[in-house]
């Protein structure tokens, strides 16, 4: 699978913003699956600056930590601060997984998302589908693995403050999206990205499932 190598983080951000903009302009009633993490920061900043009409857009976040949604490091707070509070989207159109996992799954089952944007963890996870997750998985509560807790501790005062559990969209659910864009930034991501896109398709590397999707674009910058 081809990994498109972009010049820098700016190019990564505006390339994906172009895809989002084109989708919203083509179909104002669009459904997006959105990521958190450090990689999409630039994308969200770029989207805010474009002043698009989000009035009929529905968004579904990939995952949340099991923690107070008002905490400064919750994914709900991240999305509000970086995107939702800065665009004209209806708060009720911004959905996050919650403990009622069946309900979240149903909302996504009826109509597939037009576009799903993903980051990738250094262990090959997408959303919080850790290595070993079933390719048939749906929205569920998961335990985070050691590597993920370690990687995400940079956002918290100490590694002990990182939540140990999350609610994540499943791999099967992600794969139902009409189009998927995977973004990765930094040399520390290149090895796993290459294994996931060009190695064997295995549940040991959750992102490798994307090789089975017929409309995926993968963007990387150093
Ligand atoms: C986090 C999130 C993922 C994200 C990944 C990469 O744990 N659950 O959805 O894609 O890790 O994050 P970052 O962009 O900060 O490297």
């Amino acid at each position: 699978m081809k990994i498109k190598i972009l010049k820098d983080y700016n190019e990564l951000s505006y390339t994906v913003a172009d895809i989002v903009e084109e989708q919203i302009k083509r179909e104002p009633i669009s459904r997006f699956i959105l990521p958190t993490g450090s990689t999409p920061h630039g994308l969200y900043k770029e989207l805010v600056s474009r002043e698009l009409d989000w009035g009929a857009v529905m968004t579904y976040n990939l995952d949340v930590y099991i923690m107070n949604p008002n905490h400064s490091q919750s994914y709900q707070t991240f999305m509000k601060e970086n995107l939702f509070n800065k665009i004209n989207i209806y708060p009720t159109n911004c959905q996050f997984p919650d403990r009622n996992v069946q309900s979240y799954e149903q909302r996504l089952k009826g109509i597939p998302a037009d576009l799903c944007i993903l980051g990738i963890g250094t262990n090959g996870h997408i959303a919080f589908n850790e290595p070993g997750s079933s390719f048939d998985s749906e929205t569920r509560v998961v335990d985070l693995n050691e590597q993920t807790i370690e990687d995400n501790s940079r956002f918290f005062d100490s590694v002990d403050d990182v939540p140990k559990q999350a609610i994540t969209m499943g791999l099967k659910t992600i794969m139902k999206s009409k189009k998927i864009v995977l973004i990765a930034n930094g040399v520390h991501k290149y090895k796993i990205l290459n294994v996931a896109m060009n190695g064997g398709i295995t549940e040991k590397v959750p992102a490798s499932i994307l090789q089975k999707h017929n409309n995926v674009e993968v963007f990387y910058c150093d």
Side-chain angles (χ1 to χ4, degrees), residues 10-21:
N10 269 347
E11 190 179 15
L12 179 84
S13 300
Y14 66 70
T15 299
V16 183
D18 285 349
I19 296 172
V20 173
E21 176 169 352

Side-chain angles (χ1 to χ4, degrees), residues 34-41 62-65 75 117-122 125-130 144 148 151-152 154-155 166 168 182-185 188-189:
L34 297 178
T36 49
S38 51
T39 314
H41 257 126
L62 283 164
D63 48 15
V64 290
Y65 289 119
Y75 285 170
I117 302 170
L118 297 171
I120 184 169
T122 55
H125 75 225
I126 46 178
F128 272 132
N129 293 285
E130 299 283 28
L144 302 184
T148 300
D151 285 353
N152 289 3
R154 69 190 192 277
F155 298 110
T168 186
L182 178 69
I183 52 176
N185 165 221
H188 64 297
K189 292 282 179 77

Side-chain angles (χ1 to χ4, degrees), residues 14-193:
Y14 66 70
T15 299
V16 183
D18 285 349
I19 296 172
V20 173
E21 176 169 352
E22 193 192 305
Q23 174 63 36
I24 294 179
K25 288 189 169 157
R26 194 175 58 246
E27 291 180 80
I29 307 176
S30 283
R31 294 157 62 93
F32 294 112
I33 294 177
L34 297 178
T36 49
S38 51
T39 314
H41 257 126
L43 163 66
Y44 294 150
K45 197 163 172 228
E46 179 64 25
L47 285 173
V48 168
S49 76
R50 295 190 184 194
E51 299 183 6
L52 304 171
D53 184 3
W54 295 79
V57 170
M58 298 275 302
T59 66
Y60 300 85
N61 264 81
L62 283 164
D63 48 15
V64 290
Y65 289 119
I66 296 187
M67 72 190 309
N68 182 343
N70 297 322
H71 188 283
S72 61
Q73 292 306 326
S74 79
Y75 285 170
Q76 291 91 334
T77 300
F78 174 96
M79 291 306 298
K80 281 185 205 150
E81 287 181 350
N82 288 286
L83 188 67
F84 297 151
N85 285 352
K86 300 176 172 176
I87 57 175
N88 70 328
I89 198 163
Y90 286 97
T92 48
N93 283 353
C94 305
Q95 312 266 314
F96 292 88
D98 58 36
R99 282 194 181 269
N100 191 348
V101 293
Q102 286 302 334
S103 155
Y104 200 60
E105 197 59 41
Q106 285 307 322
R107 277 173 265 163
L108 287 156
K109 236 175 205 161
I111 319 167
D114 298 290
L115 174 63
C116 169
I117 302 170
L118 297 171
I120 184 169
T122 55
N123 61 6
H125 75 225
I126 46 178
F128 272 132
N129 293 285
E130 299 283 28
S133 296
S134 165
F135 282 170
D136 270 332
S137 54
E138 297 190 337
T139 306
R140 67 204 186 285
V141 174
V142 291
D143 294 328
L144 302 184
N145 83 11
E146 290 294 318
Q147 180 68 58
T148 300
I149 292 171
E150 180 63 36
D151 285 353
N152 289 3
S153 66
R154 69 190 192 277
F155 298 110
F156 293 83
D157 290 339
S158 93
V159 71
D160 297 331
D161 293 337
V162 183
K164 307 291 177 284
Q165 284 194 307
I167 309 172
T168 186
M169 203 178 277
L171 294 168
K172 187 163 105 184
T173 320
I174 289 168
M175 287 292 282
K176 285 188 186 138
S177 310
K178 292 183 199 164
K179 178 179 176 74
I180 298 177
V181 170
L182 178 69
I183 52 176
N185 165 221
V187 281
H188 64 297
K189 292 282 179 77
Y190 192 75
K191 190 171 167 208
I192 189 65
L193 191 62

